[in-house]
């Protein structure tokens, strides 16, 4: 199960992900982002702190979003204070691809 809360702060749009981001729940996030009207100069922040689980599909999604949005001059950041999830991000090399400012 994946629950997503949306919070807007000025030019930033935050998505707080709770539960699991995997092959079965990834389409929920895709659908939400397709409805979002992000424009150049905006910043998209994914908060993973409340995630219980992320698999390779979820990681692939985050990398795809990063490439797609940064090519449109939209900043993307991953915020995370969950040690287990952070270990996965570091191990797979996501932090080398998506560098937070």
């Amino acid at each position: 199960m994946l629950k997503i809360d949306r919070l807007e702060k000025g030019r930033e749009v935050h998505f707080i992900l709770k539960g699991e981001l995997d092959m079965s729940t990834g389409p929920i996030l895709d659908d939400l982002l397709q409805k979002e009207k992000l424009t150049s100069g905006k910043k998209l922040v994914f908060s993973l702190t409340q995630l219980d689980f992320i698999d390779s599909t979820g990681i692939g999604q985050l990398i795809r979003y990063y490439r797609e949005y940064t090519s449109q001059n939209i900043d993307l950041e991953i915020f995370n204070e969950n040690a287990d999830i952070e270990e996965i991000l570091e191990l797979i090399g996501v932090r080398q691809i998506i560098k937070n400012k």
Side-chain angles (χ1 to χ4, degrees), residues 60-92:
Q61 276 183 264
L62 295 175
I63 293 169
R64 179 170 42 91
Y65 299 148
Y66 175 76
R67 290 181 176 148
E68 178 182 334
Y69 289 116
T70 56
S71 73
Q72 299 172 34
N73 198 31
I74 298 168
D75 292 332
L76 187 142
E77 177 182 328
I78 293 177
F79 176 79
N80 179 44
E81 293 180 336
N82 179 324
D84 293 332
I85 298 295
E86 192 62 32
E87 182 177 2
I88 294 167
L89 297 178
E90 289 285 341
L91 183 66
I92 294 178

Side-chain angles (χ1 to χ4, degrees), residues 15-17 21 46-52 54 62 78-82 85 89 95:
F15 289 100
I16 299 118
L17 283 59
L21 180 58
F46 289 105
S47 174
L48 309 184
T49 300
Q50 296 181 55
L51 272 184
D52 299 319
I54 188 168
L62 295 175
I78 293 177
F79 176 79
N80 179 44
E81 293 180 336
N82 179 324
I85 298 295
L89 297 178
R95 287 300 188 190

